[in-house]
Amino acid sequence: MKIRFGYDITYNAAINTPMVVLLSAQPNVRQRILQADTMTLEPALPAATYIDAFGNTCTRFICSPGVVRLRADGIVEDSGIPEPAVWDAPEVPVPSLPPDTLVYLLGSRYCETELLMEEAWRLFGHFAPGWGRVQAICDHVNQHVTFGYQYAHCTKTAHQTWLQRSGVCRDMAHLAITFCRCLNIPARYCTSYLGDIGVPPVNAPMDFAASMEVYLGGSWHSFDPRNNARRIGRLLIARGRDAADAAFSTAFGSSSLQSFRVWTDEIREPSSVGFVTA
């Protein structure tokens, strides 16, 4: 199946303001980019890209005074099947973990492992290690944290989400990640495109979706505490320790978001019908 994805975002700055944005798609092994999501800037500002410590493609530029518009429109070919569930994937003991996974066991800005350690072991310590325990964490977060855009706040942490029992997908991902790390399961934060493909459409503006990847059985696997389902067409944009590493934009100065539009739509292609003429 083919999916059209992209964004149209505008900022307003009073003075020249350096910015870094993480908006380039990172297809997985079951996906192939057919039309690149090349960013255009209006006005045409000089921009450069680099790869950060987490493998994300970053674009940096100086936002000139006034309105600056960022746009991209790409097409990805997806397998069209839900993300796999590997129920027999085991947890990897800490001494056997690859060195590059160890950072995802540590507390971070939005994931305060030291504040949730006791609660994590009380709630999930009795589950058999492995995929089922991570799924139990996602089930618990999905059932006990009320989703709502009115609960969003840029400084909200996993511990605050746990105390308030409310948040958005970003907060739910942070909480599940923190519980996993408390149990010595490497977990990292992800932001992605995620359309309503294979599920009933949601009557709300499209946004980027936060989820997590968990290291089990020698591989990273996607989990989604917000939707708590294996989904079709999730297209990764960025990953990191938490939202601080994977923010879609960071301004080094004063700027304001003026408009924000994201799309992720399946391309419906007409079925071909063959005719035989005598």
Side-chain angles (χ1 to χ4, degrees), residues 84-92 105 120 123-143 172-173 175-188 211-217 219-226 228-230:
V86 188
W87 284 95
D88 59 350
E91 293 177 22
V92 179
L105 291 178
L123 290 169
F124 310 110
H126 62 284
F127 283 89
W131 188 283
R133 178 148 65 173
V134 176
Q135 185 57 58
I137 291 171
C138 291
D139 292 344
H140 191 90
V141 172
N142 181 269
Q143 293 164 13
M172 298 169 83
L175 181 56
I177 287 167
T178 306
F179 281 145
C180 286
R181 292 178 184 175
C182 288
L183 298 167
N184 297 325
I185 307 169
R188 60 192 185 189
S211 60
M212 67 177 184
E213 290 177 343
V214 177
Y215 193 80
L216 295 169
S219 301
W220 289 99
H221 303 273
S222 180
F223 286 85
D224 185 345
R226 158 69 177 104
N228 205 25
R230 315 311 293 174

Side-chain angles (χ1 to χ4, degrees), residues 54-77:
F54 303 99
N56 304 314
T57 300
C58 309
T59 303
R60 62 188 299 188
F61 58 92
I62 297 177
C63 190
S64 58
V67 175
V68 174
R69 186 179 187 185
L70 289 65
R71 293 193 298 167
D73 189 38
I75 298 176
V76 63
E77 184 177 61

Side-chain angles (χ1 to χ4, degrees), residues 3-276:
I3 302 170
R4 182 175 295 278
F5 65 96
Y7 55 84
D8 189 341
I9 305 170
T10 59
Y11 292 93
N12 197 338
I15 61 174
N16 284 335
T17 303
M19 293 191 71
V20 174
V21 296
L22 280 67
L23 291 167
S24 299
Q26 301 187 55
N28 62 38
V29 295
R30 299 180 302 279
Q31 298 171 324
R32 181 167 63 101
I33 297 293
L34 302 179
Q35 176 179 303
D37 54 329
T38 304
M39 180 189 299
T40 61
L41 290 163
E42 299 176 9
L45 302 172
T49 61
Y50 67 93
I51 305 300
D52 69 11
F54 303 99
N56 304 314
T57 300
C58 309
T59 303
R60 62 188 299 188
F61 58 92
I62 297 177
C63 190
S64 58
V67 175
V68 174
R69 186 179 187 185
L70 289 65
R71 293 193 298 167
D73 189 38
I75 298 176
V76 63
E77 184 177 61
D78 185 83
S79 66
I81 60 175
E83 297 160 316
V86 188
W87 284 95
D88 59 350
E91 293 177 22
V92 179
V94 173
S96 300
L97 285 170
D100 60 356
T101 67
L102 296 177
V103 67
Y104 300 110
L105 291 178
L106 307 178
S108 56
R109 176 177 175 181
Y110 294 106
C111 300
E112 315 102 316
T113 51
E114 68 280 7
L115 297 180
L116 286 166
M117 185 71 67
E118 184 176 340
E119 197 71 1
W121 282 98
R122 182 183 71 83
L123 290 169
F124 310 110
H126 62 284
F127 283 89
W131 188 283
R133 178 148 65 173
V134 176
Q135 185 57 58
I137 291 171
C138 291
D139 292 344
H140 191 90
V141 172
N142 181 269
Q143 293 164 13
H144 291 83
V145 177
T146 300
F147 176 87
Y149 291 108
Q150 69 271 29
Y151 305 125
H153 196 280
C154 63
T155 63
K156 195 169 192 175
T157 67
H159 187 245
Q160 291 169 341
T161 299
W162 179 243
L163 294 177
Q164 297 170 18
R165 297 296 201 274
S166 61
V168 292
C169 58
R170 172 184 186 268
D171 307 314
M172 298 169 83
H174 282 150
L175 181 56
I177 287 167
T178 306
F179 281 145
C180 286
R181 292 178 184 175
C182 288
L183 298 167
N184 297 325
I185 307 169
R188 60 192 185 189
Y189 179 92
C190 299
T191 182
S192 310
Y193 289 99
L194 183 64
D196 299 324
I197 299 173
V199 298
V202 176
N203 185 24
M206 182 67 67
D207 196 352
F208 296 126
S211 60
M212 67 177 184
E213 290 177 343
V214 177
Y215 193 80
L216 295 169
S219 301
W220 289 99
H221 303 273
S222 180
F223 286 85
D224 185 345
R226 158 69 177 104
N227 296 291
N228 205 25
R230 315 311 293 174
R231 295 291 294 269
I232 298 171
R234 191 189 307 273
L235 178 57
L236 179 73
I237 299 172
R239 57 168 65 95
R241 292 166 297 184
D242 56 32
D245 296 327
F248 74 84
S249 71
T250 301
F252 299 89
S254 178
S255 69
S256 58
L257 181 65
Q258 297 292 294
S259 66
F260 178 85
R261 188 167 70 91
V262 173
W263 54 90
T264 312
D265 303 307
E266 181 182 355
I267 298 175
R268 300 285 186 175
E269 297 180 304
S271 58
S272 59
V273 179
F275 294 93
V276 177

